[in-house]
Amino acid sequence: MSLESHLETLQQRHSALDSEIAALRQKPAAGDTEIQELKRKKLVLKDEIERLRISRN
């Protein structure tokens, strides 16, 4: 897998998590713990994307 395709995959996963978080916030029974876990995963992906972008340059 090339670096560009890997970055694109990570960005897609990041966007998917963003959508999932937004959907959970709309549900009255959404647990804060679940939302926080998704936010943590999203942050990990963001950090990985930035790390790869920096190493690419």
Side-chain angles (χ1 to χ4, degrees), residues 19-36:
S19 298
E20 192 174 345
I21 290 167
L24 279 175
R25 285 185 173 155
Q26 298 300 316
K27 294 181 181 179
D32 288 339
T33 305
E34 185 176 3
I35 291 172
Q36 290 302 321

Side-chain angles (χ1 to χ4, degrees), residues 11-26:
Q11 289 170 337
Q12 289 171 350
R13 288 172 50 198
H14 185 269
S15 293
L17 283 172
D18 200 30
S19 298
E20 192 174 345
I21 290 167
L24 279 175
R25 285 185 173 155
Q26 298 300 316

Side-chain angles (χ1 to χ4, degrees), residues 33-48:
T33 305
E34 185 176 3
I35 291 172
Q36 290 302 321
E37 180 63 22
L38 292 175
K39 285 182 176 183
R40 187 194 62 77
K41 288 179 182 181
K42 187 178 161 190
L43 184 58
V44 168
L45 283 174
K46 180 182 175 187
D47 289 345
E48 178 69 8

